[in-house]
């Protein structure tokens, strides 16, 4: 089977935060707050996917108001933070939204993502994911977490479906 054929039917992207949307580091500020960095190219791809009718689902064990604000600003509404059991959360979401597993791409990088990733048709990870995650992935991005790996997979899906390059007015709305 051609690897790219697994990308074409994707309608839903499930993403972890730390190590996928960020580089996995946390900067501790004097106030006690924790700061994370996100890639703007990932952000562009996510907001474009939302505008094109794709689902972006973020499932994270961590909680951050900054992450929540960033994701909402990109038009993402399906955001689950502080999740202890990602597999259960994903199963509940899939049932509520009548998802077909072969239409779901999951990008994770560490052990908490192991079981939910195996439910999906296209488990993916950044280049710097842990070995256990890499061993179950059908696609490993050449890019690290927080360095464009999310853009990599979203761009593949949109390109395969003829939705990457479009009218100027669509890209800017």
């Amino acid at each position: 089977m051609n690897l790219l054929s697994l990308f074409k039917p994707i309608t839903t992207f499930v993403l972890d935060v730390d190590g996928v949307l960020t580089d996995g580091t946390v900067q501790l500020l004097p106030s006690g707050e924790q700061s994370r960095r996100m890639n703007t190219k990932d952000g562009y791809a996510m907001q474009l996917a939302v505008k094109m009718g794709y689902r972006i689902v973020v499932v994270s064990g961590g909680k951050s108001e900054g992450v929540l604000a960033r994701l909402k600003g990109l038009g993402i509404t399906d955001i689950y933070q502080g999740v202890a059991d990602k597999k259960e959360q994903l199963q509940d979401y899939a049932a509520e939204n009548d998802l077909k597993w072969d239409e779901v791409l999951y990008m994770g990088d560490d052990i908490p993502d192991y079981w939910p990733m195996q439910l999906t048709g296209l488990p993916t990870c950044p280049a710097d994911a842990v070995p256990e995650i890499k061993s179950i992935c059908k696609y490993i991005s050449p890019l690290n977490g927080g360095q464009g790996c999310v853009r990599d997979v979203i761009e593949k899906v949109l390109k395969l479906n003829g939705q990457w390059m479009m009218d100027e007015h669509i890209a800017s709305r």
Side-chain angles (χ1 to χ4, degrees), residues 75-90:
I76 299 167
T77 57
D78 298 329
I79 305 164
Y80 303 93
Q81 295 193 91
V83 176
D85 186 338
K86 292 184 178 186
K87 181 179 179 184
E88 182 180 337
Q89 178 66 59
L90 184 54

Side-chain angles (χ1 to χ4, degrees), residues 97-148:
N97 292 279
D98 198 28
L99 294 184
K100 297 176 186 156
W101 291 117
D102 63 338
E103 296 176 353
V104 179
L105 178 151
Y106 190 119
M107 182 170 267
D109 73 308
D110 210 343
I111 301 303
D113 302 305
Y114 185 86
W115 295 111
M117 288 178 79
Q118 293 191 48
L119 296 173
T120 67
L122 188 50
T124 67
C125 69
D128 59 347
V130 300
E132 294 88 347
I133 296 301
K134 287 181 175 181
S135 74
I136 62 167
C137 285
K138 293 180 181 174
Y139 176 74
I140 300 172
S141 175
L143 303 167
N144 287 342
Q147 301 298 313

Side-chain angles (χ1 to χ4, degrees), residues 28-89:
L28 303 175
L29 303 176
S31 65
E33 287 184 76
Q34 297 179 2
S35 173
R36 293 167 174 85
R37 292 179 352 155
M38 291 186 171
N39 187 291
T40 58
K41 289 178 178 67
D42 287 344
Y44 174 77
M46 288 188 292
Q47 63 83 30
L48 181 59
V50 168
K51 288 177 184 174
M52 300 303 290
Y54 291 86
R55 284 188 176 98
I56 304 281
V57 183
V58 177
V59 182
S60 177
K63 275 186 156 180
S64 165
E65 287 302 315
V67 168
L68 184 63
R70 170 72 175 148
L71 296 173
K72 283 185 173 182
L74 295 172
I76 299 167
T77 57
D78 298 329
I79 305 164
Y80 303 93
Q81 295 193 91
V83 176
D85 186 338
K86 292 184 178 186
K87 181 179 179 184
E88 182 180 337
Q89 178 66 59

